[in-house]
């Protein structure tokens, strides 16, 4: 069941936007690295350039966007106040940026001391995140968000496993003589828990709320929002524990895990195909691309092991599934947050005049978002093709992806500026604010948040209004005719009428009931 959002504990706009605006910057850095290195980044998944490119996307883009979404969604969706608030967000953002850049530089340069320097800020960033969210998730929250919060809890548990394995791998690169690990097996587990656990489970949990609300679809079916995320988490645990011990059992668990993610993708595509608005906007196109990429990556997993197939599967999972989902999600969340904070005057303490409040669909026009979607789709196709012909298509794919990310950043900045602009004068808080919007999805979003007007309170010195007198019933039928005859036979018709009107008794009048 989807729960209506509550903005009583809505965080400041600067808290999530700090993370959201950093996402396309790191994506552009990854694209620039691909443009610089060329085919060396797409030959094998074990190349240092490939590992640097992967972590720029997974840490700088995916984890950055997921942390920002968590800090925004938990207070709004479940009324959970994340401890630390803006200060914790600043600390996590700074540590995650520094650790990601150090780790990417460590892979490219091959310097062990850079791995040691990257471990501390990354571990601190995720430790603060897990600590804040765990404290918040232990609080009592309203019903209606159970499915999303269950998936978020499991995603945080998967993040803990991912971070522990990543710290062990970084320690193995920093101190190879002191820490000896089976690098291939630990790396596979690290990638599985990071993509199929942390990222995929969090996307599922957020989709249970975001897709029906912002994309105007029907809610997800109950069989998918029940214990679905828990089953996927247990299958991932079973596949990890059986690695290198019981290979048939591991393959069976991975097969069921892939079937579960395929079911989620197919249900999401079905909901998007039957959405209440037939015209597909840019966020809907991004979500369709993400689900199609997830299905394509699962199909590639059925092929025999091959270095090019492994790289193509990673491209579809990271750039196709995860990055497309985040792109479409931000095109809905950022305009709505800018509009909401502008409407309630939470940015500079003033409220805009009604005519100065822009509708949601004008904050980031759909035409600009569609143009960026075309760039993203073209870059994704070139990236997949470059896995087969890296020497020919690697650099064009990197160039097109860089242009797409810069356009993405420009659109998000424009949305933030439009949300801060348009306030030439302030108005009283009781002035009516326009809720209507011509956007096909904005109407549904605003209708969910509209509350009925309250009756004004009576002042203490204001007297109570006397009750209305009861209506006078007029007799009809035979009783009325008999009463008229009695009045006609009585003396002084005018006196009778006056006596009756005054409520008195007139001598000689007969009244029948």
């Amino acid at each position: 069941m989807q729960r209506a959002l509550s903005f009583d504990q809505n965080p400041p706009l600067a808290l999530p936007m700090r993370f959201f605006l950093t996402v396309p910057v790191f994506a552009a850095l990854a694209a620039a690295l691909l443009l610089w290195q060329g085919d060396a980044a797409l030959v094998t998944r074990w190349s240092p350039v490939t590992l640097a490119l992967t972590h720029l996307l997974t840490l700088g883009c995916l984890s950055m966007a997921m942390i920002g979404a968590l800090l925004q969604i938990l207070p709004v969706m479940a009324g959970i106040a994340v401890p630390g608030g803006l200060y914790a967000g600043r600390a996590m953002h700074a540590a995650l940026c520094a650790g990601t850049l150090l780790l990417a530089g460590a892979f490219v340069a091959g310097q062990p001391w850079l791995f040691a320097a990257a471990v501390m800020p990354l571990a601190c960033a995720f430790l603060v995140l897990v600590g804040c969210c765990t404290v918040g998730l232990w609080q009592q929250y309203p019903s209606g968000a159970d499915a999303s919060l269950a998936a978020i809890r499991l995603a945080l548990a998967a993040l803990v496993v991912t971070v522990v394995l990543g710290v062990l791998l970084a320690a193995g690169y920093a101190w190879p003589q002191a820490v000896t690990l089976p690098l291939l097996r630990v790396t596979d587990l690290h990638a599985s828990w990071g993509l199929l656990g942390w990222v995929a489970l969090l996307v599922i949990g957020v989709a249970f709320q975001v897709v029906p609300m912002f994309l105007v679809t029907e809610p997800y079916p109950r069989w998918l929002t029940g214990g679905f995320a828990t089953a996927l988490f247990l299958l991932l645990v079973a596949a990890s524990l059986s690695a290198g011990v019981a290979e048939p059992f591991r393959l069976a668990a991975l097969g069921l895990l892939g079937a579960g993610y395929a079911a989620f993708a197919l249900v999401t595509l079905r909901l998007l195909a039957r959405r209440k608005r037939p015209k597909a906007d840019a966020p809907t196109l991004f979500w369709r691309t993400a689900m199609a990429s997830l299905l394509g990556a699962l199909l590639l997993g059925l092929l025999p092991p091959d270095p090019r197939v492994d790289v193509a599967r990673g491209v579809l999972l990271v750039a196709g599934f995860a990055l497309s989902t985040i792109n479409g999600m931000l095109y809905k969340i950022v305009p709505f947050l800018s509009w909401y904070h502008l409407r309630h005057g939470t940015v500079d303490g003033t409220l805009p005049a009604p005519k100065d409040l822009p509708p949601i669909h004008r904050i980031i026009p759909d035409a600009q978002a569609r143009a960026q979607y075309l760039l993203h789709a073209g870059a994704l196709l070139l990236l997949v093709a470059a896995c087969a012909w890296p020497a020919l298509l690697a650099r064009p794919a990197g160039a097109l992806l860089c242009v797409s990310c810069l356009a993405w950043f420009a659109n998000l900045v424009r949305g933030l500026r439009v949300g801060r602009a348009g306030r030439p004068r302030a108005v009283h808080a009781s002035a009516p604010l326009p809720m209507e919007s011509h956007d096909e999805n904005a109407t549904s979003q605003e209708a969910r948040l509209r509350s009925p007007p309250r009756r004004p309170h009576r002042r203490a010195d204001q007297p109570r209004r006397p009750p209305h007198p009861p209506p006078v019933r007029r007799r009809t039928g035979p009783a009325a005719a008999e009463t008229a005859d009695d009045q006609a036979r009585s003396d002084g018709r005018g006196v009778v009428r006056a006596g009756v009107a005054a409520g008195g008794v007139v001598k000689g009048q007969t009244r029948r009931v």
Side-chain angles (χ1 to χ4, degrees):
M1 180 180 64
Q2 184 191 12
R3 180 182 178 267
L5 303 184
S6 174
F7 290 86
D8 295 336
Q9 301 185 25
N10 193 33
L13 181 61
L15 179 58
M17 290 301 299
R18 184 186 310 273
F19 293 89
F20 293 158
L21 291 179
T22 311
V23 172
V25 175
F26 273 97
L29 288 177
L33 180 61
L34 177 60
L35 181 61
W36 173 35
Q37 295 292 330
D39 57 342
L42 298 177
V43 174
T44 175
R45 56 175 291 203
W46 303 106
S47 170
V49 180
T50 306
L51 294 175
L53 181 66
T54 301
H55 286 84
L56 282 176
L57 290 174
T58 54
L59 293 176
C61 296
L62 307 187
S63 295
M64 190 76 67
M66 296 300 176
I67 293 174
L70 279 178
L71 297 178
Q72 172 63 40
I73 288 177
L74 286 180
V76 173
M77 182 179 65
I80 295 175
V82 179
L86 190 59
Y87 298 101
R90 290 174 180 173
M92 283 186 285
H93 179 266
L96 186 59
C97 290
T100 302
L101 293 176
L102 288 173
L103 185 61
F107 280 116
V108 174
Q111 297 294 328
W113 67 271
L114 287 176
F115 286 101
V119 168
M120 185 61 66
L122 288 176
C124 291
F126 289 114
L127 182 62
V128 172
L129 172 67
V130 173
C132 293
C133 292
T134 302
V135 172
L137 288 173
W138 275 103
Q139 301 174 9
Q140 186 178 3
Y141 55 88
S143 61
D146 300 340
S148 295
L149 291 179
I152 290 174
R153 287 196 191 97
L154 295 175
L156 289 175
L159 174 63
V160 172
V161 178
T162 305
V163 171
V164 170
L165 294 175
V167 169
L168 291 176
L169 288 172
Y173 285 112
W175 302 284
Q177 303 298 331
V179 181
T180 57
L181 295 171
L183 292 180
L184 297 181
R185 185 180 303 175
V186 176
T187 303
D188 288 338
L189 291 176
H190 175 68
S192 299
W193 280 96
L195 292 177
L196 300 180
W198 158 237
V199 174
L201 287 178
L202 192 57
V203 167
I204 290 176
V206 173
F208 288 158
Q209 289 283 332
V210 170
V211 171
M213 176 182 177
F214 287 107
L215 301 183
V216 199
T217 68
E218 295 294 330
Y220 279 86
R222 291 186 177 275
W223 64 267
L224 196 64
T225 58
F228 181 75
T230 305
L232 294 179
F233 183 84
L234 293 178
L235 286 173
L236 185 57
V237 172
S240 302
L241 294 178
S242 59
V245 179
E247 191 65 19
F249 186 78
R250 186 184 73 88
L251 294 177
L254 288 177
L256 293 176
L257 185 64
Y261 283 119
F264 167 74
L266 292 175
V267 170
T268 304
L269 289 175
R270 181 175 178 270
L271 292 177
L272 294 177
R274 302 176 61 182
R275 63 195 296 263
K276 298 178 182 179
R277 305 295 182 182
K279 183 181 178 181
D281 54 359
T284 304
L285 297 177
F286 274 109
W287 275 86
R288 289 176 177 174
T289 303
M291 297 302 110
S293 300
L294 178 58
L295 292 175
L298 294 175
L299 291 177
L300 289 181
L302 301 177
L303 299 179
D306 184 83
R308 295 182 178 181
V309 174
D310 294 339
V311 174
R313 185 167 63 248
V315 167
L316 287 175
L317 282 176
V318 177
F321 167 61
L323 196 60
S324 299
T325 301
I326 293 172
N327 210 323
M329 182 176 64
L330 292 187
Y331 273 138
K332 285 296 184 182
I333 294 180
V334 170
F336 178 75
L337 290 180
S338 299
W339 175 88
Y340 177 84
H341 286 276
L342 174 61
R343 176 181 181 266
H344 293 274
T346 57
V347 178
D348 57 0
T350 61
L351 292 177
K355 66 177 183 179
D356 297 327
L357 185 66
I360 294 180
H361 74 283
R362 292 184 182 177
I363 295 180
I364 298 181
D366 189 63
Q368 297 183 4
R370 281 177 174 269
Q372 194 263 323
Y373 167 75
L374 294 178
L375 293 173
H376 175 80
L380 180 60
L381 292 176
L382 282 180
L383 282 173
V384 175
C387 297
W389 301 283
L392 181 63
L393 298 177
R395 284 188 170 87
L400 190 57
L401 182 61
C402 187
V403 173
S404 173
C405 295
L406 293 178
W408 185 15
F409 177 76
N411 290 340
L412 295 182
V413 171
R414 182 187 185 278
L416 183 61
R417 286 180 177 177
V418 171
R420 291 178 177 273
R423 300 190 200 91
R425 63 182 183 277
V427 298
H428 194 266
S430 61
L433 296 176
M435 291 293 295
E436 65 274 8
S437 174
H438 299 286
D439 185 20
E440 59 184 17
N441 296 335
T443 303
S444 174
Q445 301 164 19
E446 297 159 6
R448 296 170 185 263
L449 302 174
R450 186 183 292 120
S451 59
R454 295 182 178 180
R455 180 178 300 177
H457 296 284
R458 182 179 60 86
R459 298 193 305 270
D461 57 344
Q462 182 179 1
R464 293 182 177 271
R465 181 178 298 178
H468 295 284
V472 179
R473 297 183 179 178
R474 296 183 178 180
R475 292 185 176 90
T476 58
E482 294 175 1
T483 304
D485 294 341
D486 294 341
Q487 293 178 359
R489 288 193 295 267
S490 62
D491 295 334
R493 182 178 296 272
V495 177
V496 172
R497 290 179 179 174
V500 174
V505 180
V506 180
K507 183 178 181 179
Q509 180 188 9
T510 304
R511 303 186 64 182
R512 298 179 181 178
V513 180

mmCIF file of all heavy atoms in Angstrom, residues 43 49 101 124 130 174 193-194 206 209 216 303 465 478 504:
data_model
loop_
_atom_site.group_PDB
_atom_site.id
_atom_site.type_symbol
_atom_site.label_atom_id
_atom_site.label_comp_id
_atom_site.label_asym_id
_atom_site.label_seq_id
_atom_site.Cartn_x
_atom_site.Cartn_y
_atom_site.Cartn_z
ATOM 1 N N VAL A 43 38.248 -3.145 -22.327
ATOM 2 C CA VAL A 43 38.774 -4.423 -22.800
ATOM 3 C C VAL A 43 38.442 -5.531 -21.820
ATOM 4 O O VAL A 43 37.966 -6.613 -22.198
ATOM 5 C CB VAL A 43 40.289 -4.316 -23.037
ATOM 6 C CG1 VAL A 43 40.874 -5.686 -23.384
ATOM 7 C CG2 VAL A 43 40.571 -3.327 -24.156
ATOM 8 N N VAL A 49 42.002 1.000 -15.278
ATOM 9 C CA VAL A 49 41.168 2.098 -15.781
ATOM 10 C C VAL A 49 39.692 1.733 -15.665
ATOM 11 O O VAL A 49 38.852 2.577 -15.306
ATOM 12 C CB VAL A 49 41.550 2.425 -17.236
ATOM 13 C CG1 VAL A 49 40.686 3.564 -17.769
ATOM 14 C CG2 VAL A 49 43.023 2.787 -17.339
ATOM 15 N N LEU A 101 37.416 10.352 -5.260
ATOM 16 C CA LEU A 101 38.508 10.864 -6.086
ATOM 17 C C LEU A 101 39.827 10.181 -5.739
ATOM 18 O O LEU A 101 40.624 9.853 -6.646
ATOM 19 C CB LEU A 101 38.623 12.372 -5.886
ATOM 20 C CG LEU A 101 37.454 13.207 -6.419
ATOM 21 C CD1 LEU A 101 37.647 14.678 -6.070
ATOM 22 C CD2 LEU A 101 37.301 13.026 -7.922
ATOM 23 N N CYS A 124 34.256 6.353 6.694
ATOM 24 C CA CYS A 124 33.571 7.295 7.582
ATOM 25 C C CYS A 124 32.241 7.747 6.983
ATOM 26 O O CYS A 124 31.228 7.869 7.705
ATOM 27 C CB CYS A 124 34.465 8.501 7.850
ATOM 28 S SG CYS A 124 35.911 8.131 8.873
ATOM 29 N N VAL A 130 25.004 4.781 7.674
ATOM 30 C CA VAL A 130 24.360 3.619 8.281
ATOM 31 C C VAL A 130 23.938 3.938 9.716
ATOM 32 O O VAL A 130 22.846 3.559 10.152
ATOM 33 C CB VAL A 130 25.307 2.405 8.228
ATOM 34 C CG1 VAL A 130 24.728 1.238 9.018
ATOM 35 C CG2 VAL A 130 25.542 1.991 6.783
ATOM 36 N N ALA A 174 46.681 -1.803 -0.619
ATOM 37 C CA ALA A 174 47.578 -0.885 0.086
ATOM 38 C C ALA A 174 48.728 -1.629 0.760
ATOM 39 O O ALA A 174 49.864 -1.149 0.755
ATOM 40 C CB ALA A 174 46.772 -0.081 1.110
ATOM 41 N N TRP A 193 27.210 -7.687 -4.066
ATOM 42 C CA TRP A 193 26.515 -7.021 -2.966
ATOM 43 C C TRP A 193 26.320 -5.531 -3.241
ATOM 44 O O TRP A 193 25.344 -4.921 -2.768
ATOM 45 C CB TRP A 193 27.287 -7.219 -1.665
ATOM 46 C CG TRP A 193 27.036 -8.556 -1.049
ATOM 47 C CD1 TRP A 193 27.796 -9.674 -1.179
ATOM 48 C CD2 TRP A 193 25.928 -8.913 -0.220
ATOM 49 N NE1 TRP A 193 27.242 -10.717 -0.486
ATOM 50 C CE2 TRP A 193 26.093 -10.276 0.119
ATOM 51 C CE3 TRP A 193 24.836 -8.232 0.277
ATOM 52 C CZ2 TRP A 193 25.193 -10.964 0.924
ATOM 53 C CZ3 TRP A 193 23.933 -8.908 1.083
ATOM 54 C CH2 TRP A 193 24.103 -10.249 1.402
ATOM 55 N N GLY A 194 27.228 -4.939 -3.999
ATOM 56 C CA GLY A 194 27.074 -3.524 -4.308
ATOM 57 C C GLY A 194 25.975 -3.249 -5.311
ATOM 58 O O GLY A 194 25.149 -2.345 -5.105
ATOM 59 N N VAL A 206 12.586 2.458 -3.313
ATOM 60 C CA VAL A 206 12.173 3.797 -3.716
ATOM 61 C C VAL A 206 11.097 3.736 -4.790
ATOM 62 O O VAL A 206 10.170 4.550 -4.821
ATOM 63 C CB VAL A 206 13.405 4.597 -4.187
ATOM 64 C CG1 VAL A 206 12.989 5.939 -4.778
ATOM 65 C CG2 VAL A 206 14.369 4.819 -3.030
ATOM 66 N N GLN A 209 7.313 3.757 -3.965
ATOM 67 C CA GLN A 209 6.669 5.028 -3.659
ATOM 68 C C GLN A 209 6.758 6.015 -4.817
ATOM 69 O O GLN A 209 5.803 6.727 -5.107
ATOM 70 C CB GLN A 209 7.311 5.660 -2.416
ATOM 71 C CG GLN A 209 7.006 4.953 -1.118
ATOM 72 C CD GLN A 209 5.610 5.247 -0.608
ATOM 73 O OE1 GLN A 209 5.055 6.292 -0.875
ATOM 74 N NE2 GLN A 209 5.049 4.319 0.139
ATOM 75 N N VAL A 216 2.515 8.507 -12.135
ATOM 76 C CA VAL A 216 1.051 8.374 -12.229
ATOM 77 C C VAL A 216 0.682 6.978 -12.737
ATOM 78 O O VAL A 216 0.044 6.815 -13.778
ATOM 79 C CB VAL A 216 0.444 9.466 -13.132
ATOM 80 C CG1 VAL A 216 -1.052 9.611 -12.860
ATOM 81 C CG2 VAL A 216 1.134 10.797 -12.916
ATOM 82 N N LEU A 303 24.761 -16.196 -20.897
ATOM 83 C CA LEU A 303 25.752 -16.585 -21.896
ATOM 84 C C LEU A 303 27.005 -17.146 -21.227
ATOM 85 O O LEU A 303 27.241 -16.914 -20.036
ATOM 86 C CB LEU A 303 26.119 -15.368 -22.745
ATOM 87 C CG LEU A 303 24.978 -14.727 -23.545
ATOM 88 C CD1 LEU A 303 25.489 -13.526 -24.325
ATOM 89 C CD2 LEU A 303 24.328 -15.745 -24.483
ATOM 90 N N ARG A 465 -23.121 33.316 17.280
ATOM 91 C CA ARG A 465 -24.243 33.635 16.399
ATOM 92 C C ARG A 465 -25.476 32.875 16.866
ATOM 93 O O ARG A 465 -25.404 31.678 17.122
ATOM 94 C CB ARG A 465 -23.906 33.245 14.961
ATOM 95 C CG ARG A 465 -25.019 33.566 13.967
ATOM 96 C CD ARG A 465 -24.595 33.201 12.565
ATOM 97 N NE ARG A 465 -23.421 34.005 12.161
ATOM 98 C CZ ARG A 465 -22.820 33.863 10.992
ATOM 99 N NH1 ARG A 465 -23.254 32.950 10.133
ATOM 100 N NH2 ARG A 465 -21.782 34.612 10.691
ATOM 101 N N PRO A 478 -56.343 18.404 3.246
ATOM 102 C CA PRO A 478 -57.633 18.627 3.934
ATOM 103 C C PRO A 478 -57.485 19.421 5.214
ATOM 104 O O PRO A 478 -58.334 20.248 5.541
ATOM 105 C CB PRO A 478 -58.119 17.204 4.206
ATOM 106 C CG PRO A 478 -57.403 16.357 3.233
ATOM 107 C CD PRO A 478 -56.085 16.994 3.008
ATOM 108 N N GLY A 504 -50.394 33.896 19.684
ATOM 109 C CA GLY A 504 -51.350 33.888 20.767
ATOM 110 C C GLY A 504 -52.584 33.081 20.435
ATOM 111 O O GLY A 504 -52.645 32.400 19.416
#
